[in-house]
Structures are given as structure tokens and as C-alpha cells.
Amino acid sequence: MNLLNSQREAFHARLIILEGAGSSSAIERLKVEYDVAVASDPSHRGMVASINGLENSDPQFWRYAVGGSKIPKPSSEIVPVKGEQVIWWYGDNPDPPSLTQ
């Protein structure tokens, strides 16, 4: 795939790959490197509302997976083990992106 620089930047703004530290939650780890806003309304409490200004919109929003699996819990409750891959992605695809070539 050959992307223009602007397309590449837009794509990368929608995909974040981190490594677990074993001592902090998935969202705490995210907040170390990114500007994160979290929903405060009771029905979505703890849900990531935006990362670096890219806000959730219907049907596209931020999702996350740990070790390649989606987790049906708030990211504040999940503590990835040291070195475990945490992927955040934005869009309408409910499945984590495949990172293999």
C-alpha cells in the first residue's frame, strides 16, 4: 500500500501501539504519552472520549485490545503485564487491526 504523507499521518493518528508495564492500567499507560479525554457521564464512565483531539463520533470511536484480544472492561481496570502489547484504534471496525505483514 502506498499512502500519501497526509494519508499516512491520518492513518497513524488512528492507531496507537504501547507495551504494558505490569504496574499501570491500560489507560494510565496511554496518558503517559498522549492527551486523553475520558467520558464522565454514568453510562460511559471511564470510556476514552478522545486521544490527541480525535473525538469519538457515531459510529467511529476509540477501542482497545490487550495481547490481541478485545477486553469487555474499562481500560482503567486492566493492567497489562510487562511487555504485553496494547493497541488502541479509532474507527468503526470492532476488531483490532492486524499488525502482521
Side-chain angles (χ1 to χ4, degrees):
M1 178 170 19
N2 191 2
L3 299 175
L4 297 172
N5 283 339
S6 60
Q7 292 173 315
R8 187 177 294 120
E9 288 171 15
F11 174 78
H12 287 297
R14 296 167 176 256
L15 179 67
I16 297 169
I17 303 169
L18 302 171
E19 266 190 21
S23 58
S24 54
S25 70
I27 195 166
E28 289 170 333
R29 183 70 188 83
L30 181 67
K31 286 179 175 181
V32 169
E33 298 181 42
Y34 297 90
D35 179 25
V36 179
V38 179
S40 58
D41 62 279
S43 63
H44 295 104
R45 188 170 310 282
M47 180 178 170
V48 169
S50 74
I51 300 176
N52 285 355
L54 184 56
E55 296 182 4
N56 292 346
S57 64
D58 194 13
Q60 298 188 61
F61 56 91
W62 285 102
R63 297 167 163 92
Y64 81 105
V66 177
S69 300
K70 292 187 300 183
I71 309 292
K73 291 184 177 182
S75 57
S76 60
E77 296 178 15
I78 304 301
V79 178
V81 298
K82 186 171 178 67
E84 190 170 35
Q85 188 177 65
V86 180
I87 301 172
W88 291 87
W89 75 99
Y90 180 87
D92 56 7
N93 188 342
D95 297 317
S98 174
L99 301 178
T100 56
Q101 294 289 343

